[in-house]
Amino acid sequence: MGTAVFDSGLANGLMPRPFIVERVESAKDLAAIYRLRVAAWRSRTDYFPDIAEWQDSHDATACHWAIRDGERIVAAARLTIHDRLADAPSAEIYEGVLPADLAGPIAVMTRLVVARSHGGQGLSRLLDVARIDHARASGCRHILGETFAGLPRLNAVVELGFTIVGLSGAYASGPLRQVKEERGGGKSSACSHFDLPPAPPLTATIFSLGL
């Protein structure tokens, strides 16, 4: 699997430390990622279900990246690529925000998680860059993502070239359905999506929903 080494400055002002972003496929690593997803979300909100691990059918075909601190995986994210928006994970959340006939291939960035102990060290950005690079190399026309994390996360993705396109819809199922319902549900939730044509000469398309 390919690896890339980045320097990430520590939030407490100590000297930067190297983190390795790596593609992972082993059953052991994926199991650790599925557990980290739950731990990371549970550390942020009690609305996330108290389950042992979080995985879905898209994990089998997704590309997965992880960052370790020693042997422990402390951050992870995935990318799926689709010919149609309807085939994306939780495609229902895009209804009314993005056109159903959005040109493919479409890359969808999901399941970004960072252990609470390693927040504020730039690990999300490292995983974003790895996924964007892979989407570009794969010839994707668009990259989509969603965040619950608020303004700092929105600013971070805008810096990477993304455009805020609107509020996401409700989930039909899964743990995030419960989180969103408890936070108010539907399009009243503080979630946004981004669309990025990966590289010239692709034409940039900006979508907006009351912004």
Side-chain angles (χ1 to χ4, degrees), residues 49 54 171-179:
W54 182 21
Y171 284 84
S173 62
L176 294 184
R177 177 181 181 179
Q178 180 173 327
V179 172

Side-chain angles (χ1 to χ4, degrees), residues 85 94 98 102 106-109 142-146 162 194-195:
L85 184 58
Y94 301 100
L98 297 172
L102 188 67
I106 302 165
V108 183
M109 303 198 309
H142 301 279
I143 306 175
L144 308 179
E146 181 193 32
F162 286 84
F194 325 101
D195 176 68

Side-chain angles (χ1 to χ4, degrees), residues 139-187:
C140 293
R141 297 289 302 276
H142 301 279
I143 306 175
L144 308 179
E146 181 193 32
T147 184
F148 286 68
L151 189 58
R153 176 65 176 157
L154 294 179
N155 289 337
V157 295
V158 168
E159 288 178 359
L160 289 172
F162 286 84
T163 300
I164 310 305
V165 298
L167 300 179
S168 60
Y171 284 84
S173 62
L176 294 184
R177 177 181 181 179
Q178 180 173 327
V179 172
K180 187 171 283 191
E181 286 177 346
E182 294 292 344
R183 288 187 173 188
K187 293 186 179 297

Side-chain angles (χ1 to χ4, degrees), residues 48-165:
F48 194 90
D50 187 8
I51 53 181
E53 61 179 30
W54 182 21
Q55 62 175 305
D56 62 32
S57 60
H58 292 279
D59 283 314
T61 55
C63 297
H64 298 268
W65 286 262
I67 298 174
R68 303 177 197 270
D69 188 348
E71 296 298 316
R72 174 189 170 207
I73 292 179
V74 296
R78 78 177 184 190
L79 185 82
T80 55
I81 298 176
H82 312 274
D83 292 327
R84 305 183 307 150
L85 184 58
D87 297 327
S90 302
E92 68 275 5
I93 67 175
Y94 301 100
E95 293 178 6
V97 182
L98 297 172
D101 60 352
L102 188 67
I106 302 165
V108 183
M109 303 198 309
T110 54
R111 302 298 187 266
L112 171 65
V113 287
V114 178
R116 188 179 184 89
S117 59
H118 286 70
Q121 299 186 42
L123 304 191
S124 293
R125 185 181 183 89
L126 302 185
L127 291 165
D128 286 342
V129 170
R131 292 184 291 174
I132 291 168
D133 287 348
H134 184 79
R136 284 176 170 154
S138 300
C140 293
R141 297 289 302 276
H142 301 279
I143 306 175
L144 308 179
E146 181 193 32
T147 184
F148 286 68
L151 189 58
R153 176 65 176 157
L154 294 179
N155 289 337
V157 295
V158 168
E159 288 178 359
L160 289 172
F162 286 84
T163 300
I164 310 305
V165 298

